[in-house]
Structures are given as structure tokens and as C-alpha cells.
Amino acid sequence: MDNSKLLNLYNQKKYSELEFEIELLGDLETQPIPVIMIYAVSKALNPSSKKEDFVKAAHFFEKIYNQDKNNLEALYNLIIVSIRCGVYNYVTPHLIERHKTNNKDQKVIEALSKINFVLGNISESVHYLSKLIKINPNYPSAFEEYIISLNYISNKSQEEYFKQALEFDKLPKINCEPFIKINNKKSKIKLAFLSPDFKMHSVGFFLKGVLEKISKKDFEIIAFSNLDTKYHDPMTGDLKKIFNKWHDIKNISDLEFVNLARSLDVDILIDLSGFTLGNRIQALRVRCAPIQISWLGYCNTTGIENMDYLIADHNVVKKNEEKFYSEKILYLPNIWSAMSKPKDFPDVNILPVKSNSIFTFGSFNNFYKLSDETIKVWSKILNNSNSRLVLKSSSIIDVKVVENLLKKFKQELSNQDSLVVIQNNLPREEHLRQYNQIDVALDPFPYPGVTTSFESVMMGVPVLTMRGFNFNSRCGESINLNLEMQEFIATNSEDYYLKAIQLQKDPTKLELLRGSLREKVLASPLFDVDNFSENFCNTLKKVWNNHIDG
């Protein structure tokens, strides 16, 4: 075939047609390297490509790289498709080999950090990210990943975290006009929310009820959605009905977003993502609104000069620790966030141990939160009791992640059968029903659950959590304090272990608690959206009035 025809199809982005023409040539394995390369690149770029297409592309990129280790384009493409499809067996050996021969290849180091993070090897990921930003301090995406990764490991204090966050804000900013603050009194406050998670997501679960309570007489509420429209779901539709205005910003640049927000004359912009995936942190650094507030989606300081406030409560941020947060802390009276009471949820069942011969602990938290320290303590509990642990990730997890997690537990457990991993993605009501298997939920540390803890206690399952050292690590603590369940807060790893062992010895007490916990929870600040929303809105009004009074 005339290669010019293939190049013409490629340049016209007719990827499916290009792939069809190449496949007509016969066995792809025997084709010339340039043909294999353009085929693999097409698979990587084709919007119609599915996981199996990316895997096929990874195979061919590896084939090309194996024939010529100087062909770094093939290696870098192999990195891209491997991460996209979540299959790492092709690329990982080559990354390790390449890093040994050239330990300053930034793309290789970044790939090693991403893969280790996805697999749950957070300490290794932080190691590579630290190395990467030392080589290239002006690498914003790597710096963002480094900062968020620090929340997952125990050996970093809030002071150390804060220093790194401040360093991030020293990076070059996007080039735009300086923001001019104008203090105008208005009949309504223009209140905008920015998030990539306006969907069936924890952010949506907490945000929806609050939005419904915000007075349209006092506020005009605006959505800046950084979510690809192809991922819109029923929750997206529900949220759209509540907002006065909705702007999809996924496909515009940071500068375009800054100009859009400013042109809309937004008064208060609440960021719901911080450093998490899909953020617009670079836009916030140059200021999109006269008041910028961090809330809900990222429970730590951003370190950004132009992030004015952080919404918290007195349980998660102590007064004497405010110096380790760049934002001024807005303390809500009880808890930093509240969830709407679900309309339909399963009944609370009897304590499972009453009908089983074994005590069941459980955790439905994202597997990335299961730190090495958490795995060691949980394994110690299982090794010294007649119990099992049921694990289910709160997000869809690749089989390799599960395999890596099981490998870590295998090194610690004396009885492998004491660990049960559930892998499913069920509708919310069915998901909640799975808590009926659990006697006591175990909270990971230093990154505890939030949504999962709200769900757990609502289903009558108490959560054993660890006392923390900053906003993020104290979320479980605040939840239990608001439930007046101090006995389920451990002071350290040994106390955590002892409390877990002791809880198994008094099933009658747990049975009584299970029977009354839902009623207690639904009457608590955790689900008191009315009171929370009133405090939330009053806080925003106060902030705005202080601003216009100058």
C-alpha cells in the first residue's frame, strides 16, 4: 500500500478507516515498523477505541521499542496507552530498565509514579514524584500529584505538607490580566460552584441537598462543570435543575475559564476539587472571583495565596494549627459537611455475628486509602481473633490493583481466608444493602472515609476510626464526635487494634447500638441539611458583607 494514503488518512484523523486499510494488509506482526507505528498511534488517538484497542496498541508499541531501545517515541506512547487502559505488564519492566540507564527521564519517572499510585504503592509514588519535582521544579501536574499523594502517607506532618503546598504556589502562573476587585452591593450574591464531579459521586451526594436549600432570593447559583458531557448521568440532570446557570467548561483552557468567570461577575466561587483529578487550580491561582473558597472535595489547605477561605469545623482544624493553612478557616458549628437523607434505603438488619460463626469487619473505602500501616494493623486484628474482613472499593478498580492489595495482605496474614474482596458496581440501594454483612466498619488511616462512613453509620454499622493530625486525617474523628461516639476513636495504632479486639467480645452491646444507630445518625448534624445549609449560607453572607464593607 502507498504509505502516503495512510498518512493522508492519519492527517485527516480518519482513524477507523486508517486501521481498516492496514488490517487489510494481512498479519500486522509482519508489517514494516512505520506501518505498525501509525496503526498503534491511530488506536491511541481514535475516539472510538476501547480498552482492548489500547491493549493492542500497547503490544505494538512494545514490539517496536524492543527492536530499537533508542525509539523513545514508542516507549512514551506505550506509557500513554498503558495508563489509559490500566494494563501495566507491558510497560513496567521497560520503565524500570530505562530508569536505571537514565534516572532523569521525566516521562519515565512520572509514569512510575502514576502506576505505583494506581496500584496502591503510595510511598513509592511519592518517592518518584519527589524525584521528579527536584529535577524539574516547574512541573505543575507532577507537583499537584505530589501534594495530593502526601495526604495518603503517615510520615508527613501538616507542617511539611503546608511547606510543599506553598512551594507549588511559587510556580509560574498563567498569563492573564490582573484581577480588579470591585465592591458593589447587590440584591443577590452570585455564588458559583466549580467541580469535575457533578455526577453520581460523593460531591454530588453532599452538594445536592445544600443547593436545594439555598435561597434563590439571596443567591444566584452558577455551576462550572469540568466534567466531560459524555459522563453526565441522572445526578447531573438533577443538579442542572437546581442551578440558575450551568456552564460546561471541560473543553476550554484555564485562561478561557478565568475570563468566563470574570465576565459573569461571580462574587463567590467555591472550589470543590482542590488538587484532585479534573481541577482548575491554575485558574484559581490567578483569581476568578473576588472571594474564592475551598470546600468539600479536598479536605486540606491548597497553599494558594488567592484561595481566601477553607470551610471546616472545630474537630478537623484546631485553632493553634491555623498557621499551617494558607486560607482563613471558616468554622461551621458542627460538621464541615452534611448529607441529604436518602429517599429509599435498605432496612438495618440484625448484627451479622448473631447468625454467623465469625465476626465481620468491613471497609468499602477506595483501595488507594489502604496504606501500608492500615494493612498491618488490620492484619494484626485478623490474626488475633475469630474474624474476617470484607473489602470493597468505593471506585471501580482494575484487577491489578486488587492483586497488588492481596499481595500486601498475604505478607501479613496468617489465614488468607480471613480476607474477602467484593468486586462489583451496584446501584446505590444495592450497594448500601451490602453493609448488612458488616458488624463493625474499619476506617483506613491517615486518609479516612467520608461518604463511606456516612453510609455505614446510616446502615447501623459503627466505624472505628483513628485520631488524625490535620483536616484530612480527622474527618472520621469529626463524624464520630458529632455522633457522640468517642469510644470508636482510637488514639494510635495499638489502641486501634485493642478497640477492634474488644468490640468483638461484646456482641450484645453492638446489637443494641445497631438497633438504635440509624435513628441517632439521621437526627444528628451528619444528616441535618436544613441546619447545615442555614449555617453555610449565613457564613457566606457574612463573608460577602465583610468584603463589600472593605
Side-chain angles (χ1 to χ4, degrees), residues 511-531:
E511 186 177 26
L512 289 171
L513 178 59
R514 194 180 191 91
S516 61
L517 187 53
R518 173 176 286 181
E519 183 179 359
K520 179 178 184 178
V521 166
L522 294 181
S524 75
L526 274 67
F527 287 89
D528 189 355
V529 174
D530 288 346
N531 189 50

mmCIF file with all atom_site columns, all heavy atoms in Angstrom, residues 511-531:
data_model
loop_
_atom_site.group_PDB
_atom_site.id
_atom_site.type_symbol
_atom_site.label_atom_id
_atom_site.label_alt_id
_atom_site.label_comp_id
_atom_site.label_asym_id
_atom_site.label_entity_id
_atom_site.label_seq_id
_atom_site.pdbx_PDB_ins_code
_atom_site.Cartn_x
_atom_site.Cartn_y
_atom_site.Cartn_z
_atom_site.occupancy
_atom_site.B_iso_or_equiv
_atom_site.pdbx_formal_charge
_atom_site.auth_seq_id
_atom_site.auth_comp_id
_atom_site.auth_asym_id
_atom_site.auth_atom_id
_atom_site.pdbx_PDB_model_num
ATOM 1   N N   . GLU A 1 511 ? -25.192 -5.110 69.279 1.00 0.00 ? 511 GLU A N   1
ATOM 2   C CA  . GLU A 1 511 ? -26.545 -5.364 68.800 1.00 0.00 ? 511 GLU A CA  1
ATOM 3   C C   . GLU A 1 511 ? -27.487 -4.235 69.205 1.00 0.00 ? 511 GLU A C   1
ATOM 4   O O   . GLU A 1 511 ? -28.307 -3.764 68.403 1.00 0.00 ? 511 GLU A O   1
ATOM 5   C CB  . GLU A 1 511 ? -27.049 -6.695 69.348 1.00 0.00 ? 511 GLU A CB  1
ATOM 6   C CG  . GLU A 1 511 ? -28.402 -7.125 68.779 1.00 0.00 ? 511 GLU A CG  1
ATOM 7   C CD  . GLU A 1 511 ? -28.823 -8.484 69.307 1.00 0.00 ? 511 GLU A CD  1
ATOM 8   O OE1 . GLU A 1 511 ? -28.379 -8.865 70.412 1.00 0.00 ? 511 GLU A OE1 1
ATOM 9   O OE2 . GLU A 1 511 ? -29.604 -9.158 68.612 1.00 0.00 ? 511 GLU A OE2 1
ATOM 10  N N   . LEU A 1 512 ? -27.353 -3.766 70.432 1.00 0.00 ? 512 LEU A N   1
ATOM 11  C CA  . LEU A 1 512 ? -28.172 -2.643 70.900 1.00 0.00 ? 512 LEU A CA  1
ATOM 12  C C   . LEU A 1 512 ? -27.852 -1.377 70.112 1.00 0.00 ? 512 LEU A C   1
ATOM 13  O O   . LEU A 1 512 ? -28.748 -0.604 69.751 1.00 0.00 ? 512 LEU A O   1
ATOM 14  C CB  . LEU A 1 512 ? -27.943 -2.416 72.397 1.00 0.00 ? 512 LEU A CB  1
ATOM 15  C CG  . LEU A 1 512 ? -28.519 -3.483 73.332 1.00 0.00 ? 512 LEU A CG  1
ATOM 16  C CD1 . LEU A 1 512 ? -28.030 -3.245 74.766 1.00 0.00 ? 512 LEU A CD1 1
ATOM 17  C CD2 . LEU A 1 512 ? -30.049 -3.478 73.286 1.00 0.00 ? 512 LEU A CD2 1
ATOM 18  N N   . LEU A 1 513 ? -26.567 -1.168 69.860 1.00 0.00 ? 513 LEU A N   1
ATOM 19  C CA  . LEU A 1 513 ? -26.143 0.009  69.098 1.00 0.00 ? 513 LEU A CA  1
ATOM 20  C C   . LEU A 1 513 ? -26.679 -0.056 67.673 1.00 0.00 ? 513 LEU A C   1
ATOM 21  O O   . LEU A 1 513 ? -27.176 0.950  67.139 1.00 0.00 ? 513 LEU A O   1
ATOM 22  C CB  . LEU A 1 513 ? -24.616 0.094  69.080 1.00 0.00 ? 513 LEU A CB  1
ATOM 23  C CG  . LEU A 1 513 ? -24.005 1.254  68.266 1.00 0.00 ? 513 LEU A CG  1
ATOM 24  C CD1 . LEU A 1 513 ? -24.487 2.592  68.804 1.00 0.00 ? 513 LEU A CD1 1
ATOM 25  C CD2 . LEU A 1 513 ? -22.478 1.179  68.294 1.00 0.00 ? 513 LEU A CD2 1
ATOM 26  N N   . ARG A 1 514 ? -26.611 -1.230 67.072 1.00 0.00 ? 514 ARG A N   1
ATOM 27  C CA  . ARG A 1 514 ? -27.076 -1.384 65.695 1.00 0.00 ? 514 ARG A CA  1
ATOM 28  C C   . ARG A 1 514 ? -28.574 -1.052 65.582 1.00 0.00 ? 514 ARG A C   1
ATOM 29  O O   . ARG A 1 514 ? -29.009 -0.438 64.608 1.00 0.00 ? 514 ARG A O   1
ATOM 30  C CB  . ARG A 1 514 ? -26.819 -2.817 65.213 1.00 0.00 ? 514 ARG A CB  1
ATOM 31  C CG  . ARG A 1 514 ? -26.941 -3.009 63.696 1.00 0.00 ? 514 ARG A CG  1
ATOM 32  C CD  . ARG A 1 514 ? -26.671 -4.458 63.316 1.00 0.00 ? 514 ARG A CD  1
ATOM 33  N NE  . ARG A 1 514 ? -26.525 -4.657 61.888 1.00 0.00 ? 514 ARG A NE  1
ATOM 34  C CZ  . ARG A 1 514 ? -25.397 -4.610 61.217 1.00 0.00 ? 514 ARG A CZ  1
ATOM 35  N NH1 . ARG A 1 514 ? -24.255 -4.339 61.851 1.00 0.00 ? 514 ARG A NH1 1
ATOM 36  N NH2 . ARG A 1 514 ? -25.353 -4.838 59.905 1.00 0.00 ? 514 ARG A NH2 1
ATOM 37  N N   . GLY A 1 515 ? -29.320 -1.442 66.587 1.00 0.00 ? 515 GLY A N   1
ATOM 38  C CA  . GLY A 1 515 ? -30.757 -1.208 66.561 1.00 0.00 ? 515 GLY A CA  1
ATOM 39  C C   . GLY A 1 515 ? -31.143 0.247  66.705 1.00 0.00 ? 515 GLY A C   1
ATOM 40  O O   . GLY A 1 515 ? -32.237 0.647  66.289 1.00 0.00 ? 515 GLY A O   1
ATOM 41  N N   . SER A 1 516 ? -30.265 1.061  67.281 1.00 0.00 ? 516 SER A N   1
ATOM 42  C CA  . SER A 1 516 ? -30.607 2.464  67.539 1.00 0.00 ? 516 SER A CA  1
ATOM 43  C C   . SER A 1 516 ? -29.786 3.459  66.722 1.00 0.00 ? 516 SER A C   1
ATOM 44  O O   . SER A 1 516 ? -30.096 4.658  66.713 1.00 0.00 ? 516 SER A O   1
ATOM 45  C CB  . SER A 1 516 ? -30.398 2.774  69.030 1.00 0.00 ? 516 SER A CB  1
ATOM 46  O OG  . SER A 1 516 ? -29.032 2.583  69.388 1.00 0.00 ? 516 SER A OG  1
ATOM 47  N N   . LEU A 1 517 ? -28.744 2.971  66.051 1.00 0.00 ? 517 LEU A N   1
ATOM 48  C CA  . LEU A 1 517 ? -27.787 3.886  65.432 1.00 0.00 ? 517 LEU A CA  1
ATOM 49  C C   . LEU A 1 517 ? -28.394 4.699  64.297 1.00 0.00 ? 517 LEU A C   1
ATOM 50  O O   . LEU A 1 517 ? -28.143 5.907  64.189 1.00 0.00 ? 517 LEU A O   1
ATOM 51  C CB  . LEU A 1 517 ? -26.557 3.111  64.929 1.00 0.00 ? 517 LEU A CB  1
ATOM 52  C CG  . LEU A 1 517 ? -25.391 3.953  64.394 1.00 0.00 ? 517 LEU A CG  1
ATOM 53  C CD1 . LEU A 1 517 ? -24.958 5.002  65.399 1.00 0.00 ? 517 LEU A CD1 1
ATOM 54  C CD2 . LEU A 1 517 ? -24.205 3.058  64.011 1.00 0.00 ? 517 LEU A CD2 1
ATOM 55  N N   . ARG A 1 518 ? -29.215 4.080  63.436 1.00 0.00 ? 518 ARG A N   1
ATOM 56  C CA  . ARG A 1 518 ? -29.768 4.841  62.317 1.00 0.00 ? 518 ARG A CA  1
ATOM 57  C C   . ARG A 1 518 ? -30.586 6.032  62.810 1.00 0.00 ? 518 ARG A C   1
ATOM 58  O O   . ARG A 1 518 ? -30.434 7.156  62.303 1.00 0.00 ? 518 ARG A O   1
ATOM 59  C CB  . ARG A 1 518 ? -30.627 3.964  61.413 1.00 0.00 ? 518 ARG A CB  1
ATOM 60  C CG  . ARG A 1 518 ? -31.353 4.786  60.344 1.00 0.00 ? 518 ARG A CG  1
ATOM 61  C CD  . ARG A 1 518 ? -32.131 3.940  59.373 1.00 0.00 ? 518 ARG A CD  1
ATOM 62  N NE  . ARG A 1 518 ? -31.252 3.258  58.450 1.00 0.00 ? 518 ARG A NE  1
ATOM 63  C CZ  . ARG A 1 518 ? -31.685 2.455  57.484 1.00 0.00 ? 518 ARG A CZ  1
ATOM 64  N NH1 . ARG A 1 518 ? -32.984 2.228  57.339 1.00 0.00 ? 518 ARG A NH1 1
ATOM 65  N NH2 . ARG A 1 518 ? -30.830 1.867  56.660 1.00 0.00 ? 518 ARG A NH2 1
ATOM 66  N N   . GLU A 1 519 ? -31.434 5.804  63.776 1.00 0.00 ? 519 GLU A N   1
ATOM 67  C CA  . GLU A 1 519 ? -32.255 6.892  64.312 1.00 0.00 ? 519 GLU A CA  1
ATOM 68  C C   . GLU A 1 519 ? -31.378 8.005  64.865 1.00 0.00 ? 519 GLU A C   1
ATOM 69  O O   . GLU A 1 519 ? -31.633 9.198  64.653 1.00 0.00 ? 519 GLU A O   1
ATOM 70  C CB  . GLU A 1 519 ? -33.172 6.349  65.406 1.00 0.00 ? 519 GLU A CB  1
ATOM 71  C CG  . GLU A 1 519 ? -34.135 7.391  65.978 1.00 0.00 ? 519 GLU A CG  1
ATOM 72  C CD  . GLU A 1 519 ? -35.051 6.822  67.042 1.00 0.00 ? 519 GLU A CD  1
ATOM 73  O OE1 . GLU A 1 519 ? -34.959 5.611  67.325 1.00 0.00 ? 519 GLU A OE1 1
ATOM 74  O OE2 . GLU A 1 519 ? -35.859 7.589  67.597 1.00 0.00 ? 519 GLU A OE2 1
ATOM 75  N N   . LYS A 1 520 ? -30.329 7.609  65.559 1.00 0.00 ? 520 LYS A N   1
ATOM 76  C CA  . LYS A 1 520 ? -29.400 8.589  66.131 1.00 0.00 ? 520 LYS A CA  1
ATOM 77  C C   . LYS A 1 520 ? -28.683 9.361  65.026 1.00 0.00 ? 520 LYS A C   1
ATOM 78  O O   . LYS A 1 520 ? -28.535 10.592 65.098 1.00 0.00 ? 520 LYS A O   1
ATOM 79  C CB  . LYS A 1 520 ? -28.379 7.852  67.006 1.00 0.00 ? 520 LYS A CB  1
ATOM 80  C CG  . LYS A 1 520 ? -27.347 8.745  67.652 1.00 0.00 ? 520 LYS A CG  1
ATOM 81  C CD  . LYS A 1 520 ? -26.414 7.919  68.538 1.00 0.00 ? 520 LYS A CD  1
ATOM 82  C CE  . LYS A 1 520 ? -25.424 8.799  69.281 1.00 0.00 ? 520 LYS A CE  1
ATOM 83  N NZ  . LYS A 1 520 ? -24.546 8.015  70.186 1.00 0.00 ? 520 LYS A NZ  1
ATOM 84  N N   . VAL A 1 521 ? -28.244 8.651  64.003 1.00 0.00 ? 521 VAL A N   1
ATOM 85  C CA  . VAL A 1 521 ? -27.493 9.253  62.904 1.00 0.00 ? 521 VAL A CA  1
ATOM 86  C C   . VAL A 1 521 ? -28.353 10.246 62.126 1.00 0.00 ? 521 VAL A C   1
ATOM 87  O O   . VAL A 1 521 ? -27.922 11.371 61.831 1.00 0.00 ? 521 VAL A O   1
ATOM 88  C CB  . VAL A 1 521 ? -26.960 8.147  61.958 1.00 0.00 ? 521 VAL A CB  1
ATOM 89  C CG1 . VAL A 1 521 ? -26.473 8.747  60.648 1.00 0.00 ? 521 VAL A CG1 1
ATOM 90  C CG2 . VAL A 1 521 ? -25.836 7.365  62.635 1.00 0.00 ? 521 VAL A CG2 1
ATOM 91  N N   . LEU A 1 522 ? -29.576 9.844  61.786 1.00 0.00 ? 522 LEU A N   1
ATOM 92  C CA  . LEU A 1 522 ? -30.440 10.708 60.983 1.00 0.00 ? 522 LEU A CA  1
ATOM 93  C C   . LEU A 1 522 ? -30.893 11.950 61.744 1.00 0.00 ? 522 LEU A C   1
ATOM 94  O O   . LEU A 1 522 ? -31.299 12.942 61.136 1.00 0.00 ? 522 LEU A O   1
ATOM 95  C CB  . LEU A 1 522 ? -31.650 9.918  60.483 1.00 0.00 ? 522 LEU A CB  1
ATOM 96  C CG  . LEU A 1 522 ? -31.339 8.796  59.482 1.00 0.00 ? 522 LEU A CG  1
ATOM 97  C CD1 . LEU A 1 522 ? -32.617 8.095  59.048 1.00 0.00 ? 522 LEU A CD1 1
ATOM 98  C CD2 . LEU A 1 522 ? -30.575 9.322  58.266 1.00 0.00 ? 522 LEU A CD2 1
ATOM 99  N N   . ALA A 1 523 ? -30.805 11.897 63.071 1.00 0.00 ? 523 ALA A N   1
ATOM 100 C CA  . ALA A 1 523 ? -31.149 13.064 63.891 1.00 0.00 ? 523 ALA A CA  1
ATOM 101 C C   . ALA A 1 523 ? -29.920 13.910 64.231 1.00 0.00 ? 523 ALA A C   1
ATOM 102 O O   . ALA A 1 523 ? -30.037 14.937 64.896 1.00 0.00 ? 523 ALA A O   1
ATOM 103 C CB  . ALA A 1 523 ? -31.827 12.604 65.187 1.00 0.00 ? 523 ALA A CB  1
ATOM 104 N N   . SER A 1 524 ? -28.762 13.489 63.756 1.00 0.00 ? 524 SER A N   1
ATOM 105 C CA  . SER A 1 524 ? -27.500 14.162 64.085 1.00 0.00 ? 524 SER A CA  1
ATOM 106 C C   . SER A 1 524 ? -27.158 15.228 63.049 1.00 0.00 ? 524 SER A C   1
ATOM 107 O O   . SER A 1 524 ? -27.795 15.320 61.995 1.00 0.00 ? 524 SER A O   1
ATOM 108 C CB  . SER A 1 524 ? -26.375 13.132 64.136 1.00 0.00 ? 524 SER A CB  1
ATOM 109 O OG  . SER A 1 524 ? -26.002 12.744 62.810 1.00 0.00 ? 524 SER A OG  1
ATOM 110 N N   . PRO A 1 525 ? -26.104 16.034 63.303 1.00 0.00 ? 525 PRO A N   1
ATOM 111 C CA  . PRO A 1 525 ? -25.657 17.025 62.313 1.00 0.00 ? 525 PRO A CA  1
ATOM 112 C C   . PRO A 1 525 ? -25.243 16.411 60.979 1.00 0.00 ? 525 PRO A C   1
ATOM 113 O O   . PRO A 1 525 ? -25.232 17.109 59.966 1.00 0.00 ? 525 PRO A O   1
ATOM 114 C CB  . PRO A 1 525 ? -24.462 17.687 63.011 1.00 0.00 ? 525 PRO A CB  1
ATOM 115 C CG  . PRO A 1 525 ? -24.744 17.538 64.471 1.00 0.00 ? 525 PRO A CG  1
ATOM 116 C CD  . PRO A 1 525 ? -25.390 16.189 64.598 1.00 0.00 ? 525 PRO A CD  1
ATOM 117 N N   . LEU A 1 526 ? -24.920 15.115 60.958 1.00 0.00 ? 526 LEU A N   1
ATOM 118 C CA  . LEU A 1 526 ? -24.478 14.474 59.716 1.00 0.00 ? 526 LEU A CA  1
ATOM 119 C C   . LEU A 1 526 ? -25.527 14.581 58.617 1.00 0.00 ? 526 LEU A C   1
ATOM 120 O O   . LEU A 1 526 ? -25.191 14.730 57.441 1.00 0.00 ? 526 LEU A O   1
ATOM 121 C CB  . LEU A 1 526 ? -24.140 12.989 59.950 1.00 0.00 ? 526 LEU A CB  1
ATOM 122 C CG  . LEU A 1 526 ? -22.738 12.641 60.433 1.00 0.00 ? 526 LEU A CG  1
ATOM 123 C CD1 . LEU A 1 526 ? -22.502 13.167 61.843 1.00 0.00 ? 526 LEU A CD1 1
ATOM 124 C CD2 . LEU A 1 526 ? -22.521 11.144 60.381 1.00 0.00 ? 526 LEU A CD2 1
ATOM 125 N N   . PHE A 1 527 ? -26.809 14.471 59.018 1.00 0.00 ? 527 PHE A N   1
ATOM 126 C CA  . PHE A 1 527 ? -27.889 14.484 58.031 1.00 0.00 ? 527 PHE A CA  1
ATOM 127 C C   . PHE A 1 527 ? -28.863 15.655 58.231 1.00 0.00 ? 527 PHE A C   1
ATOM 128 O O   . PHE A 1 527 ? -29.934 15.667 57.633 1.00 0.00 ? 527 PHE A O   1
ATOM 129 C CB  . PHE A 1 527 ? -28.647 13.154 58.060 1.00 0.00 ? 527 PHE A CB  1
ATOM 130 C CG  . PHE A 1 527 ? -27.872 12.016 57.449 1.00 0.00 ? 527 PHE A CG  1
ATOM 131 C CD1 . PHE A 1 527 ? -27.008 11.252 58.219 1.00 0.00 ? 527 PHE A CD1 1
ATOM 132 C CD2 . PHE A 1 527 ? -27.976 11.729 56.102 1.00 0.00 ? 527 PHE A CD2 1
ATOM 133 C CE1 . PHE A 1 527 ? -26.275 10.216 57.653 1.00 0.00 ? 527 PHE A CE1 1
ATOM 134 C CE2 . PHE A 1 527 ? -27.257 10.700 55.522 1.00 0.00 ? 527 PHE A CE2 1
ATOM 135 C CZ  . PHE A 1 527 ? -26.399 9.935  56.299 1.00 0.00 ? 527 PHE A CZ  1
ATOM 136 N N   . ASP A 1 528 ? -28.461 16.609 59.035 1.00 0.00 ? 528 ASP A N   1
ATOM 137 C CA  . ASP A 1 528 ? -29.305 17.782 59.262 1.00 0.00 ? 528 ASP A CA  1
ATOM 138 C C   . ASP A 1 528 ? -28.964 18.845 58.223 1.00 0.00 ? 528 ASP A C   1
ATOM 139 O O   . ASP A 1 528 ? -28.312 19.859 58.509 1.00 0.00 ? 528 ASP A O   1
ATOM 140 C CB  . ASP A 1 528 ? -29.097 18.306 60.680 1.00 0.00 ? 528 ASP A CB  1
ATOM 141 C CG  . ASP A 1 528 ? -30.100 19.395 61.053 1.00 0.00 ? 528 ASP A CG  1
ATOM 142 O OD1 . ASP A 1 528 ? -30.892 19.803 60.171 1.00 0.00 ? 528 ASP A OD1 1
ATOM 143 O OD2 . ASP A 1 528 ? -30.084 19.839 62.216 1.00 0.00 ? 528 ASP A OD2 1
ATOM 144 N N   . VAL A 1 529 ? -29.421 18.611 57.000 1.00 0.00 ? 529 VAL A N   1
ATOM 145 C CA  . VAL A 1 529 ? -29.088 19.505 55.896 1.00 0.00 ? 529 VAL A CA  1
ATOM 146 C C   . VAL A 1 529 ? -29.734 20.880 56.084 1.00 0.00 ? 529 VAL A C   1
ATOM 147 O O   . VAL A 1 529 ? -29.168 21.899 55.693 1.00 0.00 ? 529 VAL A O   1
ATOM 148 C CB  . VAL A 1 529 ? -29.498 18.878 54.547 1.00 0.00 ? 529 VAL A CB  1
ATOM 149 C CG1 . VAL A 1 529 ? -29.304 19.858 53.402 1.00 0.00 ? 529 VAL A CG1 1
ATOM 150 C CG2 . VAL A 1 529 ? -28.678 17.623 54.287 1.00 0.00 ? 529 VAL A CG2 1
ATOM 151 N N   . ASP A 1 530 ? -30.901 20.924 56.699 1.00 0.00 ? 530 ASP A N   1
ATOM 152 C CA  . ASP A 1 530 ? -31.574 22.213 56.929 1.00 0.00 ? 530 ASP A CA  1
ATOM 153 C C   . ASP A 1 530 ? -30.709 23.139 57.770 1.00 0.00 ? 530 ASP A C   1
ATOM 154 O O   . ASP A 1 530 ? -30.445 24.286 57.392 1.00 0.00 ? 530 ASP A O   1
ATOM 155 C CB  . ASP A 1 530 ? -32.921 21.996 57.627 1.00 0.00 ? 530 ASP A CB  1
ATOM 156 C CG  . ASP A 1 530 ? -33.964 21.387 56.706 1.00 0.00 ? 530 ASP A CG  1
ATOM 157 O OD1 . ASP A 1 530 ? -33.732 21.372 55.482 1.00 0.00 ? 530 ASP A OD1 1
ATOM 158 O OD2 . ASP A 1 530 ? -35.002 20.937 57.205 1.00 0.00 ? 530 ASP A OD2 1
ATOM 159 N N   . ASN A 1 531 ? -30.277 22.644 58.912 1.00 0.00 ? 531 ASN A N   1
ATOM 160 C CA  . ASN A 1 531 ? -29.460 23.454 59.815 1.00 0.00 ? 531 ASN A CA  1
ATOM 161 C C   . ASN A 1 531 ? -28.098 23.754 59.203 1.00 0.00 ? 531 ASN A C   1
ATOM 162 O O   . ASN A 1 531 ? -27.590 24.871 59.299 1.00 0.00 ? 531 ASN A O   1
ATOM 163 C CB  . ASN A 1 531 ? -29.300 22.733 61.155 1.00 0.00 ? 531 ASN A CB  1
ATOM 164 C CG  . ASN A 1 531 ? -28.645 23.617 62.205 1.00 0.00 ? 531 ASN A CG  1
ATOM 165 O OD1 . ASN A 1 531 ? -29.054 24.747 62.431 1.00 0.00 ? 531 ASN A OD1 1
ATOM 166 N ND2 . ASN A 1 531 ? -27.602 23.096 62.840 1.00 0.00 ? 531 ASN A ND2 1
#
